[in-house]
Amino acid sequence: MQKVKIKMTDQNSKSDLMEKIISLCKRRGFVFPGSEIYGGLANSWDYGPLGAELRNNIKQLWWNRYVHRRDDIVGLEAAIIMNPKVWEQSGHVATFNDLLIECKGCHQRFDQEKMESGKCPLCGKEKFTEPKLFNTLFKTFIGTVEDAKSTAYLRPETAQGMFVDFKQVLDTSRKTVPFGIAQIGKAFRNEITPGNFIFRTREFEQMEIEYFIPVPKIESDWQDVFEIWRKEMHSWTEAIGINTEHIRDYEVPETERAHYSKKTIDFMYEFPFGEKELYGLAYRTDFDLKNHFPEPPYRDNHSPVGEHESYWPHVIEPTWGVDRSVLAILCEAYTEDGDRVVLKLKPYLAPYKAAVFPLVSNKPDIAGKAREIYDTLRKKYAIAWDDRGNIGKRYYSQDEIGTPYCITVDYQTLEDDTVTVRARDSAQQERIKVTELPEYIGSRVGMLS
Ligand code: ATP
């Protein structure tokens, strides 16, 4: 059969692709509409069993790559609700705003910059109020009294945890600048225009690194580190299976940059609904540490004797969205082969690394042997089990969720202790000894492969 990778060439096939992905996600349990039994909650999504695996695999890959494999980065898990002073000092209370206009017809508010025409997209009226600032921080209250004193915020970025805990991390990890602090966690923004499935939601997850460097003496001191991270972010996108041609670096002009940034690059991805930001890289200077620490929080004990130098390190911040990663990965992996859908995920990202099938389920020795293999493999990997329908249908079903290998236990297995292993992408089958299976699967689905 001829393999057809859906090309995102025209508007129709693009919106088609998006619909196919959303429907696959719901049908197979990657992503469901949130709170659906209560009619849902606009733009809230829940990750089902397969989505949860995919997300975890992305996060584990990231943590392994940037925390475990590097000597110069340590991890952190800070609280989501921080002292509200954090957000005053960071500038978010004052500046984390969108400029909104309100339709005089239906009273809905819109982000003026993102409006495509002068008409209200809901009621079609053309009369609006003057633009007003709307703060996108998510407010909540601590304790029983709901007043200004008890107001707190759900963090809009994980970054502030790394700044606020900077000294404690330093004291306990004995790292010296340059070094980074990495964190994966939820962030919340009261987005005015959420949408495009999991692309823009009010609750999302970030993977961020604050990489601390000495005070730059010349521009290239920070620019070189920035460049290293820029390349690294491209390398990451390749590692998760994104075609480099679908990524474009966009240098954000000064007028559009976040209040803390001296240089920002957005990594734009060709989503089916248009080219949009996938990840970002910013030079946050010493803005945040200076705001939180009146005294320099870092002392360089390696300066020449008697010249111990204290300073506020500068920061390069690479930041990755987990949800946008999931979406981009799905867009890249989705292929159709005739009427068969194959999700060509990188094996280490696939929700299941392999599926085990007994050729027939009513023969106890075949089913028992298959169970044994299943139980052995799933001590180490996420493995699927399927004994329904015919083998062709089972392959079809595993291809659709990206399982890289299907293992079938048949009559021959009982004679020579071998199984058929069928590879998702090539559909090639080979006979493998049962004793060699863990090594066979392991060497093909690990992070290094
Ligand atoms: P955008 O311009 O799309 O609003 P941003 O520039 O505000 O994004 P950053 O503040 O740089 O985003 O956040 C870092 C990363 O977090 C983004 O690159 C993206 O992957 C992710 N992200 C930000 N906002 C959202 C959101 N509302 N929903 C899902 N992911 C998000």
Side-chain angles (χ1 to χ4, degrees), residues 89 115-116 150-151 174 184 229 250 254 293 348-349 374 428:
Q89 288 303 109
M115 283 195 46
E116 276 159 19
S150 64
T151 299
R174 297 173 35 227
I184 300 179
W229 277 109
Y250 167 68
E254 193 180 348
F293 294 96
Y348 46 74
L349 294 180
Y374 173 62
Q428 296 287 315

Side-chain angles (χ1 to χ4, degrees), residues 102-218:
E102 187 172 315
C103 168
K104 289 190 169 167
C106 65
H107 300 289
Q108 276 292 329
R109 291 175 182 175
F110 302 95
D111 184 341
Q112 192 175 23
E113 281 177 16
K114 290 182 185 144
M115 283 195 46
E116 276 159 19
S117 73
K119 277 192 184 156
C120 171
L122 288 183
C123 71
K125 293 243 163 60
E126 293 180 17
K127 289 206 168 139
F128 295 91
T129 60
E130 285 300 305
K132 269 194 218 140
L133 285 178
F134 175 80
N135 192 287
T136 49
L137 282 172
F138 245 101
K139 263 192 195 157
T140 186
F141 299 98
I142 294 178
T144 50
V145 184
E146 297 188 4
D147 63 9
K149 271 196 238 147
S150 64
T151 299
Y153 306 97
L154 305 186
R155 65 181 177 197
E157 57 174 20
T158 61
Q160 293 306 318
M162 281 84 109
F163 298 127
V164 171
D165 290 346
F166 176 78
K167 272 186 82 126
Q168 305 198 72
V169 172
L170 204 60
D171 292 347
T172 50
S173 67
R174 297 173 35 227
K175 290 286 167 208
T176 52
V177 166
F179 80 103
I181 308 180
Q183 180 167 209
I184 300 179
K186 290 265 181 162
F188 302 80
R189 295 179 188 177
N190 209 352
E191 297 276 8
I192 311 306
T193 44
N196 286 324
F197 193 33
I198 50 174
F199 174 80
R200 186 182 301 284
T201 48
R202 295 191 170 108
E203 171 181 345
F204 56 96
E205 195 156 18
Q206 295 184 313
M207 306 183 285
E208 291 196 303
I209 295 171
E210 303 308 319
Y211 198 80
F212 300 98
I213 56 170
V215 180
K217 294 199 168 63
I218 48 175

Side-chain angles (χ1 to χ4, degrees), residues 5-9 14 17 234 237-238 241-249 267-272 274-278 328-329 331-334:
K5 163 93 179 135
I6 292 212
K7 287 213 182 81
M8 296 183 278
T9 45
K14 283 180 182 180
L17 174 64
H234 280 281
T237 51
E238 266 188 88
I242 294 178
N243 181 340
T244 44
E245 284 174 21
H246 296 161
I247 298 276
R248 182 176 69 90
D249 294 8
F267 298 86
M268 310 295 282
Y269 174 71
E270 282 176 37
F271 286 99
E275 193 192 51
K276 306 263 182 216
E277 175 179 338
L278 174 62
I329 286 169
C331 292
E332 290 287 312
Y334 187 95

